[in-house]
């Protein structure tokens, strides 16, 4: 099932409007299991969320290279950031109602950072350094953990010790040469930085003696759902993501790898020939051509193209359907019921 999660037969009809008003939970959990969410279960939603974007924005405010004319604008961005966080933390509702609030708030905030703060700056520092400063790409890294909420993904409450957000995740364990000491090369744990993960910690203790007199301990972040987030997805990035997905799944058999991008900058490639489970285009749009982007490197060029670029952003916001699809994939990975019982199998008629 790809694309919009709304069944085609319901689109553009009164039934479609009624479907849209349904809780998203009703739709995404029906194909497998259905379990009501305990009214007092909000541990996952209330857990501490990572703040990579907030840290990047605060670091920018202290950057000695920041032009004086941009300092009050960055201070205003910090205020907008706090307002955005407050919306994410206090949003009420369930399913599609909640998701729409979160995506709408993020669309508004993201446009402010990309257009008002960076694109419209009278100096070139912010625009030319935005990638290095990680001001734009960390917005999604900070936003996505707010989607890991039992009001959107009921089964997430079954994941003991759930960890979300950017993590250096376990991607392989290797045994060294026969004469290596246990703490000097006998065991090597490979880790890979991932933009968005849902998983848990695993603690390992290893020794060459059954009494564990000489041992090493290690802490691993095991990811069961991984997304790499790209602003623009080109073919080279796709190939690198395919290699990462293959390595991840060789180490964590149940892992799911979904590649997220805002703008598509390559011809689509069938993900079935790779270890990538799916590519989701968050804006459902292609990247602006290189000829148009070339004029953005100077303040005057951006000023001349401001109306056109703002229209491009307004016409291609973060698309709610794309996030519905992401929630659907998360629900597939973390179903409300994790066990198989004879009664459930006989009721469904298959297993």
């Amino acid at each position: 099932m790809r694309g919009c999660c709304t069944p085609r037969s319901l689109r553009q009809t009164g039934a479609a409007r009624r479907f849209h008003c349904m809780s998203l939970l009703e739709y995404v959990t029906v194909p497998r299991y259905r379990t009501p969410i305990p009214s007092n279960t909000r541990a996952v939603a209330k857990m501490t969320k990572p703040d990579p974007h907030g840290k990047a924005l605060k670091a920018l405010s202290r950057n000695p290279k920041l032009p004086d004319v941009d300092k009050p604008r960055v201070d205003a961005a910090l205020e907008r950031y706090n307002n955005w966080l407050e919306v994410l933390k206090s949003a009420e509702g369930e399913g599609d109602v909640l998701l729409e609030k979160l995506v709408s708030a993020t669309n508004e905030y993201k446009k402010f950072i990309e257009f008002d703060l960076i694109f419209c700056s009278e100096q070139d520092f912010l625009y030319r350094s935005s990638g290095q400063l990680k001001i734009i790409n960390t917005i999604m890294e900070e936003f996505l953990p707010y989607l890991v909420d039992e009001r959107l993904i009921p089964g997430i409450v079954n994941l003991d010790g759930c960890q979300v957000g950017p993590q250096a995740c376990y991607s392989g364990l290797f045994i060294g040469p026969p004469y290596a000491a246990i703490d000097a090369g006998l065991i090597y744990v490979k880790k890979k930085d991932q933009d968005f993960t849902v998983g848990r910690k695993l603690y390992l203790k290893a020794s060459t003696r059954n009494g564990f007199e000489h041992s090493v301990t290690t802490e691993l972040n095991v990811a069961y759902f991984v997304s790499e987030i790209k602003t623009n997805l080109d073919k080279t990035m796709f190939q690198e993501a395919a290699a990462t997905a293959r390595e991840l799944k060789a180490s964590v058999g149940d892992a799911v790898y979904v590649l997220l991008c805002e703008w598509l900058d390559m011809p689509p490639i069938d993900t079935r020939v790779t270890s990538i489970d799916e590519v989701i285009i968050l804006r459902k749009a292609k990247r602006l051509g290189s000829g148009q982007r070339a004029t953005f490197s100077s303040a005057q060029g951006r000023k001349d193209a401001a109306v056109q670029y703002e229209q491009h952003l307004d016409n291609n916001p973060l698309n709610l359907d794309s996030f519905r699809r992401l929630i659907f994939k998360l629900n597939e990975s973390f179903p409300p019921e994790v066990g198989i019982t004879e009664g459930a199998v006989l009721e469904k008629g298959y297993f």
Side-chain angles (χ1 to χ4, degrees):
M1 178 177 178
R2 295 179 180 269
C4 175
C5 293
T6 309
R8 183 174 300 175
S9 61
L10 294 182
R11 296 177 191 166
Q12 308 302 323
T13 65
R17 289 189 291 274
R18 290 192 296 273
F19 173 89
H20 181 75
C21 294
M22 290 170 59
S23 165
L24 184 66
L25 306 179
E26 294 295 313
Y27 175 64
V28 297
T29 60
V30 165
R32 297 191 63 172
Y33 309 97
R34 292 185 58 175
T35 300
I37 310 172
S39 58
N40 61 345
T41 305
R42 292 298 312 283
V44 176
K46 292 181 180 180
M47 68 182 175
T48 302
K49 302 293 195 301
D51 59 341
H53 176 64
K55 290 177 180 176
L57 206 55
K58 291 170 186 175
L60 174 62
S61 70
R62 300 189 298 267
N63 192 318
K65 296 181 180 180
L66 181 67
D68 291 339
V69 69
D70 285 326
K71 289 180 179 179
R73 302 173 69 250
V74 173
D75 291 339
L78 281 166
E79 185 176 348
R80 290 289 291 264
Y81 165 73
N82 290 326
N83 293 339
W84 173 58
L85 277 191
E86 184 59 32
V87 173
L88 298 185
K89 292 176 181 179
S90 62
E92 298 181 350
E94 293 186 357
D96 220 34
V97 173
L98 174 61
L99 184 63
E100 189 168 5
K101 290 179 180 179
L102 298 177
V103 173
S104 177
T106 302
N107 256 322
E108 181 179 345
Y109 176 71
K110 201 169 191 303
K111 183 190 172 184
F112 173 81
I113 294 295
E114 290 188 31
F115 183 74
D116 296 274
L117 176 63
I118 295 176
F119 194 86
C120 293
S121 173
E122 297 176 359
Q123 300 293 317
D124 293 328
F125 174 75
L126 287 176
Y127 185 82
R128 293 180 180 178
S129 306
S130 60
Q132 181 181 355
L133 297 171
K134 300 185 182 298
I135 298 301
I136 294 178
N137 55 0
T138 52
I139 295 177
M140 294 307 301
E141 290 182 20
E142 186 155 339
F143 169 61
L144 291 179
Y146 285 89
L147 302 183
V148 184
D149 186 311
E150 53 267 35
R151 294 172 294 174
L152 295 170
I153 310 161
I156 200 66
V157 297
N158 297 320
L159 184 60
D160 183 44
C162 178
Q163 302 279 329
V164 300
Q167 298 273 7
C169 296
Y170 168 73
S171 63
L173 186 147
F174 304 93
I175 305 300
Y179 300 109
I182 184 67
D183 58 351
L186 181 58
I187 294 179
Y188 172 71
V189 176
K190 186 176 181 180
K191 299 178 182 179
K192 168 72 174 174
D193 289 336
Q194 307 288 359
D195 296 332
F196 171 65
T197 68
V198 183
R200 60 182 176 180
K201 289 191 179 297
L202 179 65
Y203 301 91
L204 297 180
K205 185 176 183 179
S207 176
T208 56
R209 302 180 182 181
N210 60 7
F212 286 87
E213 293 86 356
H214 299 286
S215 62
V216 294
T217 58
T218 185
E219 176 184 304
L220 307 177
N221 294 311
V222 180
Y224 296 101
F225 190 98
V226 172
S227 285
E228 192 160 357
I229 308 166
K230 301 295 185 184
T231 301
N232 308 292
L233 178 63
D234 60 27
K235 191 172 182 179
T236 300
M237 293 176 181
F238 180 87
Q239 291 170 339
E240 291 173 352
T244 299
R246 182 172 62 251
E247 183 177 60
L248 172 70
K249 293 186 175 186
S251 302
V252 184
D254 284 341
V256 171
Y257 188 97
V258 175
L259 182 57
L260 303 176
C261 73
E262 291 189 45
W263 310 99
L264 186 64
D265 195 21
M266 57 172 276
I269 298 174
D270 194 337
T271 55
R272 290 176 296 181
V273 302
T274 73
S275 295
I276 298 173
D277 290 279
E278 193 158 290
V279 177
I280 299 178
I281 307 166
L282 298 177
R283 293 183 184 268
K284 290 189 176 182
K286 293 180 63 175
R287 186 185 189 186
L288 280 175
S290 58
Q292 293 172 287
R293 301 196 312 271
T295 63
F296 298 166
S297 59
S298 68
Q300 185 60 50
R302 293 194 301 277
K303 183 177 180 180
D304 294 341
V307 174
Q308 174 194 5
Y309 187 66
E310 183 177 22
Q311 185 177 20
H312 179 65
L313 292 176
D314 290 341
N315 291 342
N316 302 286
L318 296 173
N319 193 283
L320 185 59
D321 282 341
S322 297
F323 286 93
R324 289 187 183 118
R325 184 63 185 173
L326 177 59
I327 295 297
F328 179 81
K329 300 300 291 185
L330 282 162
N331 273 285
E332 282 190 327
S333 297
F334 306 103
E337 292 185 9
V338 295
I340 297 180
T341 64
E342 183 180 87
V345 167
L346 292 177
E347 180 181 355
K348 293 186 300 179
Y350 63 89
F351 65 95

